[in-house]
């Protein structure tokens, strides 16, 4: 059991209630039947997300880093470093004891928060300009252990920008199952990063999509060269050179 000594915030309280209301046995069965992939529609209510979390997500938008990799990715990101400074509500969710306990039971692992020098640990992705998207990829773990991704829909004013997933793509013995998902405010997606082949389709005109992403690992160690590769990828594809390397090289990370 993970202990949490701090005074409960409105988010922590809501997460505790949301976790307690889940049909764990059914979700557990579905997660494993779907090759470590699960969608929980309305894990948090749309109203709670829009009233409490979306204002903070819009506030963080001033710290957005936009990126463009022709043929693969276009969009905006706010890193964990910014969330640490200005996004306490998202940290409450990321660190929630009841939520982490639920995840541990779901994925059969003792999940840890990412080290503080990983800008993806708890970050936000913004699809705000026409054509913003990301091509197909795995959330490959460069850590010595597995890496799990959790997405929480915050804003979804879009008919075109969808999370598309090919389940079982990594399993040659199984037929691939193609899914196209809308992540409405409060919807949660949980998956093992090395197993889910996924993409986000391009945003249309006058549309907006914002997603919170959280990352947990089974072993926070990473080799030096994999860390360098990971930092370079994060610099160009997500958060910018200055953000990633200033923090990665400083060696002074707040504790989590
Ligand atoms: Fe991804």
């Amino acid at each position: 059991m993970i202990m949490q000594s701090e005074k409960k915030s409105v988010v922590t309280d809501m997460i505790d209630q949301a976790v307690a209301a889940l049909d764990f046995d059914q979700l557990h069965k579905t997660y494993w039947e779907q090759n470590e992939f699960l969608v929980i529609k309305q894990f948090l209510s749309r109203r709670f997300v829009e009233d409490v979390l979306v204002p903070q997500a819009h506030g963080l938008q001033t710290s957005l880093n936009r990126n463009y990799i022709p043929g693969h990715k276009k969009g905006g990101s706010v890193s964990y470093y910014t969330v640490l400074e200005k996004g306490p509500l998202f940290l409450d969710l990321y660190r929630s004891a009841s939520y982490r306990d639920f995840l541990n039971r779901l994925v059969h692992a003792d999940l840890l928060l990412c080290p503080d020098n990983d800008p993806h640990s708890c970050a936000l992705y913004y699809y705000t300009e026409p054509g913003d998207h990301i091509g197909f990829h795995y959330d490959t773990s460069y850590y010595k252990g597995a890496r799990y991704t959790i997405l929480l829909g915050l804003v979804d004013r879009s008919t075109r920008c969808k999370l598309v997933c090919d389940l079982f793509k990594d399993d040659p013995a199984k037929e691939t199952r193609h899914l196209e998902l809308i992540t409405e405010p409060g919807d949660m997606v949980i998956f093992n990063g090395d197993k889910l082949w996924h993409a986000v389709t391009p945003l249309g005109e006058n549309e907006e999509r914002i997603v919170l992403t959280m990352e947990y690992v089974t072993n926070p160690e990473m080799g030096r060269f994999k860390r360098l590769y990971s930092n370079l990828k994060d610099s160009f594809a997500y958060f910018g050179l200055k953000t990633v390397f200033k923090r990665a090289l400083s060696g002074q990370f707040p504790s989590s």
Side-chain angles (χ1 to χ4, degrees):
M1 179 69 73
I2 298 159
M3 302 301 290
Q4 181 162 317
S5 57
E6 295 157 26
K7 191 169 173 285
K8 277 187 173 185
S9 76
V10 62
V11 172
T12 309
D13 247 346
M14 190 54 75
I15 297 296
D16 290 352
Q17 289 175 37
V19 167
L22 295 175
D23 180 348
F24 178 78
D25 291 343
Q26 183 57 49
L27 296 174
H28 178 268
K29 184 167 174 277
T30 306
Y31 175 80
W32 287 98
E33 282 176 353
Q34 296 187 140
N35 195 24
E36 295 201 61
F37 169 82
L38 181 66
V39 179
I40 308 176
K41 293 294 287 179
Q42 292 300 282
F43 171 75
L44 293 175
S45 73
R46 170 186 282 266
R47 183 164 181 193
F48 178 79
V49 170
E50 291 182 339
D51 287 353
V52 177
L53 297 179
V54 171
Q56 191 151 103
H58 279 144
L60 287 167
Q61 212 163 339
T62 52
S63 307
L64 194 74
N65 182 74
R66 284 204 56 89
N67 45 71
Y68 175 45
I69 299 176
H72 179 60
K73 185 177 190 299
K74 184 165 90 70
S77 310
V78 164
S79 76
Y80 177 53
Y81 311 142
T82 305
V83 172
L84 275 173
E85 286 175 17
K86 303 176 188 170
L89 298 178
F90 300 118
L91 294 177
D92 285 343
L93 170 49
Y94 182 51
R95 296 168 176 170
S96 158
S98 62
Y99 185 70
R100 292 178 62 197
D101 191 48
F102 157 70
L103 275 185
N104 287 349
R105 289 186 293 131
L106 184 74
V107 309
H108 302 171
D110 189 10
L111 298 185
L112 303 168
L113 304 180
C114 285
D116 273 334
N117 60 348
D118 186 330
H120 284 284
S121 306
C122 179
L124 292 114
Y125 300 152
Y126 295 77
Y127 302 79
T128 51
E129 296 185 2
D132 280 359
H133 76 289
I134 181 162
F136 271 102
H137 64 284
Y138 290 103
D139 287 1
T140 305
S141 176
Y142 298 107
Y143 288 95
K144 291 183 177 172
R147 165 186 171 180
Y148 295 82
T149 299
I150 285 81
L151 304 174
L152 177 70
L154 297 177
V155 174
D156 185 56
R157 291 192 307 98
S158 173
T159 55
R160 295 183 52 190
C161 194
K162 295 176 186 169
L163 174 68
V164 292
C165 308
D166 281 350
L167 272 55
F168 302 105
K169 174 95 172 167
D170 66 315
D171 184 349
K174 294 239 168 125
E175 196 169 326
T176 299
R177 193 167 133 211
H178 183 77
L179 299 176
E180 299 195 1
L181 305 168
I182 291 169
T183 48
E184 294 178 292
D187 291 353
M188 180 165 277
V189 182
I190 302 170
F191 59 92
N192 181 329
D194 283 315
K195 293 194 170 185
L196 186 71
W197 184 244
H198 61 286
V200 176
T201 54
L203 193 78
E205 294 276 351
N206 300 313
E207 294 187 342
E208 179 188 27
R209 179 174 181 267
I210 305 176
V211 173
L212 172 72
T213 174
M214 301 186 292
E215 187 183 310
Y216 299 88
V217 292
T218 56
N219 180 346
E221 290 179 40
M222 190 185 288
R224 278 177 58 197
F225 289 103
K226 283 194 173 175
R227 171 54 70 197
L228 178 63
Y229 177 77
S230 180
N231 281 338
L232 284 169
K233 191 168 69 65
D234 287 342
S235 299
F236 291 106
Y238 291 94
F239 307 112
L241 271 170
K242 201 169 140 196
T243 297
V244 172
F245 280 94
K246 190 173 151 199
R247 199 60 179 253
L249 296 173
S250 74
Q252 296 186 354
F253 312 122
S255 60
S256 59

